[in-house]
Amino acid sequence: VYPSSQRGRALACRFEPAREPLALDPDEHVLASIRYGQEGSAALPVDAGLVVDVPLAQLGDEPLVEVWTTDRPAVTAGEAGLRMAACGDLAFGAITSTEDVLEHDVGRAYDALLGQVLASEHPHLLRMWNVVPRINEPGYDALEGIDRYMVFCKARSLSFERHQGPNFGRFLSAASAVGGADGPLVTYFVSSVRPGERMGNARQIEAWRYPERYGPRAPSFARGTVAPASLDELCFVSGTASIVGHESVHRGDLEAQIDETLRNMEVVAEHAGGGLGEGWLLKVYLRHPAALDPVRRRLEQVFGPGTPILYLRADVCRFELDVEIEGIFYRS
Ligand code: 3EB
């Protein structure tokens, strides 16, 4: 079961109460601490590793910090621009940009990120998280039908292409892209010395092959990544929503969206020999805070009452979708 199996892991994640000092085992070291909507207010461990402030409000319970730990001391580097924490086989990084022109900011952030990471000791991206403020709002003043998520996707895709060539799709990792009310553009990631293995979902077409009606450039992510053996084959399941093929389904029907999302997560997990149940750690993005109770009830049924889950108020990248869920579990 997830929390008790963390000891000795090269990479692990947990959610800890923000108001209490963090208790660490002697052989545990903090790689990164992710704070949600609580900048400055959350207590942090003495050595918090890379601190990433994410402008999304947490829902439910007490404020939690997302803590990523390793089994050896991490070294943090970088002041402005790309900040990193690295140790052994892996690196954790973050880049936060105050926004001027979204398309340029995304291009600049991804160019900086890919330029440094791909040339580093840890060049293989395993997982990326993106927070794009006001993600559902119009992307350009004069262009109908292009929203800010599409602008983000375009700039991200062009940056991947500049750095990895026209077949960059084969290198893409698990990711999430969600939106908040306002605030900076935040991208954070995990990368590794060795490549991961891509996870797929036969119920959905690969996101980088979505047709053009979802924007001039398709989203650049894989349905999941299995980390290499040195990282215990930690499986990162991307942000997953109620999409079949490439179409959003069950618009306006929360319960059906939850079940479709869970079915998609199950198929991705099965790709790695896993399934839904105990052993996961989940993050849930909800458009409407009122969805908290029904979603919580359903996830408790499927994953068991002990599964750590962090709930965030966020705009899912397609305006018609109300819920997105991501998670991790160990394959070995
Ligand atoms: C989807 O399947 C839902 O653009 O990085 C999920 C995970 C989604 C990642 C991204 C978008 C992204 O298309 C949205």
Side-chain angles (χ1 to χ4, degrees):
V1 176
Y2 193 85
S4 56
S5 65
Q6 289 205 342
R7 264 208 100 129
R9 295 290 192 186
L11 179 61
C13 180
R14 60 186 199 242
F15 302 129
E16 289 285 337
R19 306 208 192 287
E20 289 162 34
L22 179 69
L24 286 174
D25 288 330
D27 53 355
E28 264 186 327
H29 301 269
V30 178
L31 188 59
S33 301
I34 319 298
R35 297 192 290 190
Y36 293 94
Q38 55 201 195
E39 192 168 353
S41 66
L44 285 171
V46 178
D47 188 357
L50 181 70
V51 177
V52 186
D53 280 301
V54 173
L56 297 175
Q58 195 190 313
L59 295 172
D61 322 319
E62 52 178 345
L64 299 170
V65 178
E66 177 183 327
V67 182
W68 290 85
T69 58
T70 69
D71 58 354
R72 66 199 74 185
V75 176
T76 52
E79 290 290 317
L82 187 67
R83 297 178 300 131
M84 304 269 286
C87 73
D89 273 10
L90 75 143
F92 205 104
I95 190 159
T96 299
S97 330
T98 28
E99 198 185 314
D100 177 22
V101 179
L102 181 64
E103 188 165 351
H104 300 163
D105 301 325
V106 172
R108 229 186 341 258
Y110 266 83
D111 282 351
L113 191 163
L114 295 173
Q116 280 193 56
V117 172
L118 298 180
S120 76
E121 286 176 73
H122 309 101
H124 301 285
L125 287 160
L126 301 178
R127 189 27 164 133
M128 308 189 82
W129 291 266
N130 301 280
V131 180
V132 181
R134 297 178 286 110
I135 196 165
N136 300 134
E137 290 184 12
Y140 304 105
D141 292 343
L143 264 180
E144 290 290 322
I146 304 278
D147 63 26
R148 284 166 55 87
Y149 175 58
M150 296 174 189
V151 173
F152 165 81
C153 284
K154 179 184 170 201
R156 173 175 59 172
S157 169
L158 288 170
S159 182
F160 272 114
E161 188 173 81
R162 279 193 291 277
H163 289 88
Q164 297 186 298
N167 295 321
F168 65 88
R170 75 175 82 158
F171 305 117
L172 291 172
S173 73
S176 302
V178 296
D182 233 322
L185 174 75
V186 180
T187 296
Y188 62 100
F189 62 89
V190 178
S191 71
S192 158
V193 170
R194 271 170 283 278
E197 195 187 303
R198 197 163 69 212
M199 300 161 88
N201 178 353
R203 307 179 80 234
Q204 299 182 313
I205 70 165
E206 298 288 12
W208 68 90
R209 298 206 169 105
Y210 281 174
E212 213 169 311
R213 65 182 244 224
Y214 301 103
R217 280 276 184 149
S220 310
F221 70 96
R223 299 297 171 192
T225 310
V226 184
S230 60
L231 302 178
D232 303 313
E233 300 186 306
L234 182 61
C235 297
F236 292 98
V237 174
S238 291
T240 306
S242 181
I243 295 174
V244 177
H246 53 76
E247 310 255 13
S248 303
V249 295
H250 313 303
R251 186 171 173 161
D253 184 343
L254 179 72
E255 302 281 344
Q257 283 191 31
I258 298 167
D259 285 340
E260 200 70 57
T261 299
L262 290 172
R263 181 75 190 114
N264 280 327
M265 292 176 71
E266 184 172 39
V267 171
V268 178
E270 281 167 358
H271 192 115
L276 305 186
E278 288 186 356
W280 285 69
L281 175 137
L282 300 168
K283 221 150 81 193
V284 179
Y285 303 97
L286 298 176
R287 183 179 295 282
H288 306 294
L292 180 60
D293 284 339
V295 172
R296 209 202 306 253
R297 260 196 307 276
R298 187 80 185 105
L299 294 184
E300 210 163 281
Q301 284 170 355
V302 173
F303 292 92
T307 295
I309 310 182
L310 181 67
Y311 293 91
L312 296 165
R313 215 306 299 164
D315 296 327
V316 180
C317 62
R318 295 186 185 187
F319 71 93
E320 70 275 16
L321 295 176
D322 297 320
V323 56
E324 181 172 316
I325 306 175
E326 64 182 44
I328 58 175
F329 64 90
Y330 293 101
R331 182 153 82 176
S332 52

